[in-house]
Every structure is written in structure tokens, then in C-alpha cells.
Amino acid sequence: MKFKNSNVLITGGASGIGKIMGRIALEKGANCLIIWDINEQNMADTEKELSAIGKVKCYRVDVGDVNVIHEAYTSTVKECGDVDILINNAGVVTGNKSFDKIGTNEIELLIRINAIGPMLVAREILPDMLKRNRGHICNIASAGGMLGNPKMSVYGASKWAAIGWSESVRIELQEQKTPVRITTIAPYYINTGMFNGVNSPIFPILDPEKTSAKIIRAIEKNKVFYGIPFGFHFIRFWQFILPFPLFDFVFGKVFGIYHTMDNFVGKK
Ligand SMILES: NC(=O)c1ccc[n+]([C@@H]2O[C@H](COP(=O)([O-])OP(=O)(O)OC[C@H]3O[C@@H](n4cnc5c(N)ncnc54)[C@H](O)[C@@H]3O)[C@@H](O)[C@H]2O)c1
């Protein structure tokens, strides 16, 4: 779907790739950029900065809270009009503990924000998109949702859930023959600060600006699934072809993926 004259809602749009995608959407002629985030200071700064390019409206929304989502959506439609493009981008990571040391609160937070959040937001907005026969939902998952990785088991689980859900809804929409589309994005580590400290010996950490531009292009081209970098599309293929010990050897030892989280510090 094209961004020109569209109302674009980005969750977690007050920092990182969410903020960059918002800026690109406005540069492409979006009618209104709507940001739902929990960080009020970052939202105020973003609104000030991006208002120079186009119309920006910010709402304090916790994407894990169904009641807040409902109220915010009502205000959004009243103040900005219908949402044409939704980018489910808000996400959290809580640390690099092995699973035996993770607390119940961490498990609940990761699953609530990264897996349930996109579902609640999409379920609020999708019915109107279907009624209007117009809309595009882009779900930002992670390459961590395509293969197992130590010290991020629950984050990975939340993103596996997001991918499985996003793919299933995409097929539902396809079968309903609606023009409403879904794009699932699975990026490798991006240099936004969220995964500060990760060590990736073979695959370069992604540039936020280029990654955001690629996601926006994927939406414009109605891509179904987009792994970044492109080679990550083939993870499922290698999982199918290689016996588990060989897959673990190649991805874990040769590519060093299984130790990327060892020195994770994340955002302060
Ligand atoms: N940075 C990476 O290496 C990487 C890799 C793959 C996927 N991703 C995914 O990309 C997305 C964006 O990540 P980023 O790197 O830009 O991180 P970021 O921390 O800069 O941005 C995340 C945004 O989400 C907001 N947020 C957090 N909890 C929220 C909640 N409950 N409700 C509403 N907003 C909330 C934060 O305030 C922040 O503005 C996330 O979903 C993340 O999991 C990131």
C-alpha cells in the first residue's frame, strides 16, 4: 500500500526504527502520522521534530492494555480519521538470562507486549479496515522468531508467536479475498540500542535507517514476509535440510549466533 495520503499508525513510534519509519512515511506524503507509545518524553520530542515534515499525533498507549487501546483508537479516528496503515512495532527485551533464571514478571511482560500487543491492536483496527476494504498491517517480528537462540528464549518465543499469528491472519485475509494486506518482518539485530552489547562475528548488525527504508518498501510492495538480511529467508530451508546437530554447528559455532547475547546490556 502506498503511504501518500494515508493515515499511518506506528506503535512504539517514539524511538528506534519506529521513529525512522514515521519520518519516512511523512516524507512519502502520509496524511497523518499517529504514534502510540508509552514513553511520553520521546513522543513529545518526536512530535516536535517530525511536525516540521507533516501532521503528527501522539497518544500514550500501552499496547498490552486492551482498554487503553480501545479508548485510544476511538480518539485516533475522531481526531485523525481512519487508519490506513498500521505498523505493529512496539517491543521490549528484558535481559540475557538463561531460562532457568527468568522471573514470572519478565515472561508475562515479554509475551504481553511482543506477542499479545500486536494482536490486541490489530483486532481493534482490522474490522474497520475490512469494512472499508482498505488497509495494511505490518507486524515487526524478529529473526529471533525463526530460530532458537540462547539467552533470549522468551523474547524469541514472543516473536515466534507473532510470526505464527501474523502469517495465519494473512492467509485468513487472502481467503476472504479482501484487499487488506499483512506484511511480516523478521529482522536480525538492528543498531538502535535495544540490543546494545550483542556480539555478531559474521553477520553485520543492521543499520536502522536502511532497515526502516526496507520495511517501508516491503509495505509499499505488499510483501508477505520479509527477512532482513535477505539470506535469513532461507533459515527455514536450512532447518528442513540439515540435521539438528549440523544446523546447531553451522548457526551456533560457525556463524556464532548462539553466543550473540552473551555480553548483552540493552538500553539503560
Ligand atoms: N533492535 C533490534 O535489534 C531488533 C531486531 C529485530 C526486531 N526488533 C523489533 O523491532 C521493534 C522496534 O525495536 P527498536 O530496535 O526500534 O527498539 P526501541 O526500543 O528503540 O523502540 C521500541 C519502542 O516501543 C515502545 N514500547 C515499549 N513498550 C511499549 C508498550 N507497552 N506500549 C507501547 N509502546 C511500547 C518504546 O517506548 C519504544 O519507543 C521491536 O518490536 C523489536 O522487538 C528489533
Side-chain angles (χ1 to χ4, degrees):
M1 170 171 273
K2 296 290 169 222
F3 283 80
K4 197 167 173 56
N5 299 325
S6 292
N7 287 331
V8 181
L9 166 52
I10 305 184
T11 68
S15 74
I17 57 167
K19 179 174 174 178
I20 301 173
M21 290 189 290
R23 195 203 70 226
I24 299 174
L26 287 173
E27 285 166 354
K28 284 184 174 278
N31 182 51
C32 183
L33 168 65
I34 304 134
I35 294 174
W36 286 8
D37 204 298
I38 46 165
N39 189 321
E40 296 188 48
Q41 184 58 55
N42 282 351
M43 275 198 292
D45 294 346
T46 303
E47 184 167 355
K48 203 168 159 199
E49 194 181 321
L50 298 187
S51 290
I53 316 174
K55 186 177 169 194
V56 184
K57 287 286 285 179
C58 295
Y59 300 84
R60 193 195 183 283
V61 180
D62 177 349
V63 297
D65 187 330
V66 70
N67 295 322
V68 173
I69 290 171
H70 182 68
E71 278 169 30
Y73 182 57
T74 308
S75 308
T76 297
V77 173
K78 211 163 140 197
E79 290 161 20
C80 312
D82 292 307
V83 173
D84 301 301
I85 298 175
L86 161 65
I87 306 182
N88 266 320
N89 164 77
V92 286
V93 62
T94 56
N96 64 345
K97 292 180 197 143
S98 55
F99 182 67
D100 54 301
K101 299 191 178 64
I102 285 184
T104 309
N105 288 351
E106 272 178 85
I107 296 177
E108 284 176 356
L109 180 77
L110 287 160
I111 299 295
R112 185 165 60 83
I113 307 307
N114 297 349
I116 300 177
M119 297 180 197
L120 295 180
V121 175
R123 197 194 50 188
E124 182 70 39
I125 301 175
L126 181 59
D128 282 345
M129 288 183 167
L130 290 172
K131 267 185 225 146
R132 296 171 58 231
N133 269 323
R134 178 177 164 79
H136 195 121
I137 298 176
C138 172
N139 296 309
I140 311 294
S142 165
M146 295 170 77
L147 80 171
N149 197 18
K151 299 187 178 172
M152 59 185 303
S153 59
V154 182
Y155 176 84
S158 70
K159 295 295 188 177
W160 279 70
I163 290 178
W165 159 74
S166 185
E167 281 278 280
S168 304
V169 180
R170 172 187 66 78
I171 299 164
E172 283 178 8
L173 297 179
Q174 204 169 284
E175 301 214 323
Q176 288 172 34
K177 300 197 187 324
T178 162
V180 178
R181 293 279 184 274
I182 298 234
T183 299
T184 309
I185 306 284
Y188 189 56
Y189 296 114
I190 315 163
N191 192 10
T192 59
M194 186 182 194
F195 281 92
N196 267 345
V198 296
N199 168 40
S200 180
I202 303 284
F203 297 108
I205 306 280
L206 299 170
D207 173 63
E209 189 71 39
K210 285 186 190 151
T211 306
S212 303
K214 282 181 181 171
I215 297 170
I216 295 292
R217 268 202 303 280
I219 297 171
E220 287 178 321
K221 291 184 175 168
N222 288 326
K223 283 206 173 172
V224 165
F225 187 93
Y226 194 41
I228 311 174
F230 187 73
F232 277 60
H233 277 256
F234 301 102
I235 287 177
R236 287 172 180 168
F237 172 77
W238 291 117
Q239 281 167 336
F240 175 69
I241 294 288
L242 300 175
F244 273 108
L246 192 52
F247 183 88
D248 286 348
F249 176 75
V250 174
F251 278 77
K253 291 255 177 334
V254 179
F255 295 157
I257 302 255
Y258 293 175
H259 289 281
T260 48
M261 286 294 282
D262 286 358
N263 300 315
F264 167 92
V265 285
K267 274 189 182 171
K268 285 280 171 287

